[in-house]
Amino acid sequence: MFIGFFNDLKAAGVPVTLREYLTLMEALDADLASRRVDDFYYLARATLVKDERNIDKFDRVFGHTFKGLEFLSDAALEADIPAEWLKKLADKFLTEEEKKQIQALGGLDKLLETLKQRLAEQKGRHQGGSKWIGTGGTSPFGNGGYNPEGIRIGGESTHRRAVKVWDKREFKDLDDQVELGARNIKVALRRLRKFARTGSADELDLDGTIQGTAHKGYLDIHMRPERHNAVKVLLFFDIGGSMDWHIKATEELFSAARTEFKHMEHFYFHNCLYEKVWKENQRRFQATTPTFDVLHTYPHDYKAIFVGDASMSPYEITAAGGSVEHHNEEAGVVWMDRVLRNYPSAVWLNPIPENEWAFTHSIGMMRQLMGGRMYPLTLDGLDRAMRELVR
């Protein structure tokens, strides 16, 4: 098993050596992983990965090799909902007429209040019902069923209607070394370039040397700083959830941006910007950056580029506590307004085709917040976005 894991890492492009593999074996012999999957994952990663750019590749191979093993977390949910309650035994297929008959409970606060009551009253598992926590059916609590507004507990998204998600989800960092599917992405980004010569004089200035030599009558060597792209960029990537469908396009954009911009910082968020962002998805609950720190660290001359599908519950934009993953004290619209006031030169790139934007209410809301500066993640959209940023 471990030899196969080692070979798969090499095949995936992770530069592991026999020495590192033997070190891992020694650590396992010493029981440093304590026979826990969590500890083994971090031990293997620390031993075999020497460059953080390879963590994403390592995670893919680890997940493939040890699939079926669960990562146990010390962080437990406040209420212990038995897994048996959430087993999906059968899909319930509803007609459009039946869906229209199902009424939402009437807002986020009412949903949370009703969930609290259900947790106190429910004593067993339910399947296909309309009230209790369970699977299938039309209840607003559980997974695998249908409700226009609900709280998904466990399982996977089916209709993308949940306004809250009661689950710990793992997201992956984007790989900035991915092979570009279209070289033209780089060409489009090059519109956002403003060259300047800064730093130490370490490049020969041929024209200056010729002019100086002719003027003085002897060799007069002139040096100059290397010419760099002086544009400063802040990239904010929506990660996880519905963005999983657009990983390839966003990785290509990320990879191109890393080669085109000397001054670039990136951060991740989920669905809508709130009080904190992060740079590593493996540690997005432990190592976060307050959004205020971003605003106070990077000056107004940075260009802000948001990348996301803007597809979410409207509560995530308009309501305090509307985030699907945590209780946000202030609504997402408040934080978006702060960022846009601090970085007036900003655009939003959306991987969803532009002719489909009208079908999702939250896309229209976010487009309005951006002052109409939302563009599709296509070559034409990139070209229009870059023209906007250099205005």
Side-chain angles (χ1 to χ4, degrees), residues 213-226:
T213 300
H215 179 72
K216 295 182 178 179
Y218 57 85
L219 182 61
D220 182 22
I221 296 178
H222 286 237
M223 303 295 290
R224 63 185 180 185
E226 188 178 353

Side-chain angles (χ1 to χ4, degrees), residues 318-375:
T318 61
S323 168
V324 298
E325 294 200 310
H326 75 294
H327 181 79
N328 50 302
E329 297 292 339
E330 295 179 294
V333 62
V334 176
W335 286 103
M336 287 298 302
D337 182 63
R338 285 174 179 148
V339 171
L340 294 176
R341 280 191 283 110
N342 201 63
Y343 305 110
S345 184
V347 296
W348 186 294
L349 298 175
N350 195 325
I352 293 180
E354 191 169 5
N355 59 1
E356 298 179 11
W357 290 358
F359 302 134
T360 304
H361 183 50
S362 60
I363 293 180
M365 296 171 65
M366 191 60 73
R367 190 180 187 185
Q368 184 176 2
L369 283 176
M370 294 296 301
R373 293 170 294 173
M374 180 180 285
Y375 303 91

